[in-house]
Amino acid sequence: MAEAKSLGVVGSGQMGSGIAQLGAMHGLHVWLLDTDPTALYRANKSISSSLQRFVSKGQISQAACTEALGRLEYTSNIDELRSADFIVEAIVESEDVKKKLFIELDKITKSSAILASNTSSISITRLASATSRPRQVIGMHFMNPPPIMKLVEIVRGADTSDETFHATKALAERFHKTIICSQDYSGFIVNRILMPMINEAFFTLYTGVATKEDIDTGMKLGTNHPMGPLELADFIGLDVCLSVMKVLHAGLGDNKYAPCPLLVQYVDAGHVGRKCGVGVYDYRKESEPIKASPRL
């Protein structure tokens, strides 16, 4: 399989924009697709700012920054992905929504294109089953934020071909990532371990064992984690954490993966973390009105 020259990324949130930035920085022509023009505008600003930070730190030249920006196209028209060699979806962590997207991508992309999912927990085999090309469907799970974090988790579905795996591995290596490979089981490697820890931190808060500050300080100073689990959950998005816990619970059939009721209530209240300004912690400016945090 020939080396990818073009990349389509679906979803312009933090993960999608970060993956698009990586592609542009490493010489790929990139289309970043989102149905929301406002989201694309935010992604454009975010990518530009991120690249300028790389320049200010001496990690890339101003010329390289300008060239990367020139390789990026922003679009709300899925037909523009027709000529992409490799496509990564980074949309909402919902199997049904991802399957609908894969059905559409399968219809409009060229027959040689690889369809990858950035899912952190959902079965690649089931996503692939929605397409006519299961051999060319694979999991390519980037860590957040993609331009900074060194890891990519590659997940083969039941029918993923060796050619697809090697092309995906080559792309991750082109991005200078360290690669780990997981079997196609719920949560894969990273979230199979991480999300239950985060969920247990919520149970620790829910049952009144300690304050959120002491829970996070305990894990940072006691286990040398750079962020506490509740702070990390806010960074990831509490809605994403809840979605992953539901996938683990359903896929592995063990009640130890049942989401903490407090986590559920935060999400029900719309308090999903940094991206909305409030989660376990409040990130809004002091001048903004403070709403009560959910409690059980």
Side-chain angles (χ1 to χ4, degrees), residues 49-60 62:
S49 297
S50 177
L51 286 168
Q52 283 299 330
R53 285 194 295 273
F54 277 91
V55 172
S56 66
K57 293 177 181 178
Q59 294 173 313
I60 63 172
Q62 185 61 56

Side-chain angles (χ1 to χ4, degrees), residues 1-2 86 114 162-172:
M1 191 172 288
F86 200 104
I114 290 173
D162 288 344
E163 292 80 8
T164 297
F165 169 76
H166 290 304
T168 305
K169 183 172 180 285
L171 184 60

Side-chain angles (χ1 to χ4, degrees), residues 1-291:
M1 191 172 288
E3 182 182 61
K5 293 182 172 61
S6 55
L7 174 68
V9 180
V10 185
S12 65
Q14 190 169 17
M15 294 303 296
S17 60
I19 295 165
Q21 178 182 325
L22 272 173
M25 288 175 70
H26 290 91
L28 294 169
H29 183 88
V30 180
W31 293 272
L32 180 56
L33 172 73
D34 202 296
T35 56
D36 181 1
T38 304
L40 287 174
Y41 174 76
R42 287 196 301 266
N44 189 342
K45 288 186 64 177
S46 173
I47 292 171
S48 297
S49 297
S50 177
L51 286 168
Q52 283 299 330
R53 285 194 295 273
F54 277 91
V55 172
S56 66
K57 293 177 181 178
Q59 294 173 313
I60 63 172
S61 67
Q62 185 61 56
C65 171
T66 302
E67 289 169 4
L69 290 171
R71 285 190 283 266
L72 276 160
E73 291 189 40
Y74 301 85
T75 181
S76 293
N77 181 5
I78 195 170
D79 286 339
E80 293 198 33
L81 302 186
R82 285 184 182 277
S83 58
D85 296 323
F86 200 104
I87 296 174
V88 182
E89 70 77 16
I91 62 172
V92 63
E93 192 73 354
S94 162
E95 183 173 333
D96 289 342
V97 176
K98 289 182 187 293
K99 277 184 173 178
K100 288 177 183 176
L101 173 63
F102 269 66
I103 289 169
E104 196 168 0
L105 290 171
D106 189 39
K107 290 176 182 176
I108 67 105
T109 54
K110 60 187 182 183
S111 60
S112 60
I114 290 173
L115 306 181
S117 175
N118 185 56
T119 180
S120 60
S121 62
I122 296 169
S123 167
I124 300 302
T125 301
R126 291 201 300 270
L127 294 179
S129 72
T131 76
S132 63
R133 61 180 93 185
R135 290 175 57 81
Q136 291 159 237
V137 177
I138 195 164
M140 191 180 192
H141 178 210
F142 291 82
M143 305 299 128
N144 189 16
I148 303 298
M149 299 294 280
K150 299 296 186 185
L151 188 71
V152 167
E153 190 173 37
I154 296 179
V155 186
R156 296 177 69 153
D159 295 316
T160 304
S161 69
D162 288 344
E163 292 80 8
T164 297
F165 169 76
H166 290 304
T168 305
K169 183 172 180 285
L171 184 60
E173 289 170 342
R174 183 171 175 177
F175 293 164
H176 304 301
K177 300 301 184 186
T178 298
I179 298 154
I180 59 173
C181 299
S182 172
Q183 297 296 316
D184 189 19
Y185 293 109
S186 300
F188 315 136
I189 300 168
V190 174
N191 278 344
R192 175 76 176 264
I193 297 166
L194 173 64
M195 288 302 170
M197 182 194 74
I198 287 175
N199 197 49
E200 194 61 31
F202 274 95
F203 271 114
T204 306
L205 182 62
Y206 173 52
T207 55
V209 173
T211 65
K212 58 183 180 286
E213 293 85 1
D214 282 355
I215 292 167
D216 279 346
T217 299
M219 293 305 291
K220 284 189 286 187
L221 301 185
T223 62
N224 205 29
H225 289 196
M227 299 173 74
L230 299 173
E231 182 185 6
L232 178 58
D234 274 353
F235 182 74
I236 294 168
L238 303 193
D239 52 337
V240 176
C241 295
L242 178 58
S243 293
V244 174
M245 287 308 302
K246 287 179 176 178
V247 169
L248 289 172
H249 192 208
L252 300 172
D254 192 322
N255 281 334
K256 74 179 181 180
Y257 299 111
C260 175
L262 183 58
L263 172 59
V264 174
Q265 191 180 53
Y266 272 108
V267 175
D268 286 347
H271 297 185
V272 295
R274 282 184 174 271
K275 59 188 172 185
C276 78
V278 62
V280 180
Y281 295 92
D282 199 318
Y283 305 94
R284 296 167 295 190
K285 295 177 182 177
E286 291 182 5
S287 59
E288 294 182 7
I290 303 297
K291 298 177 183 177

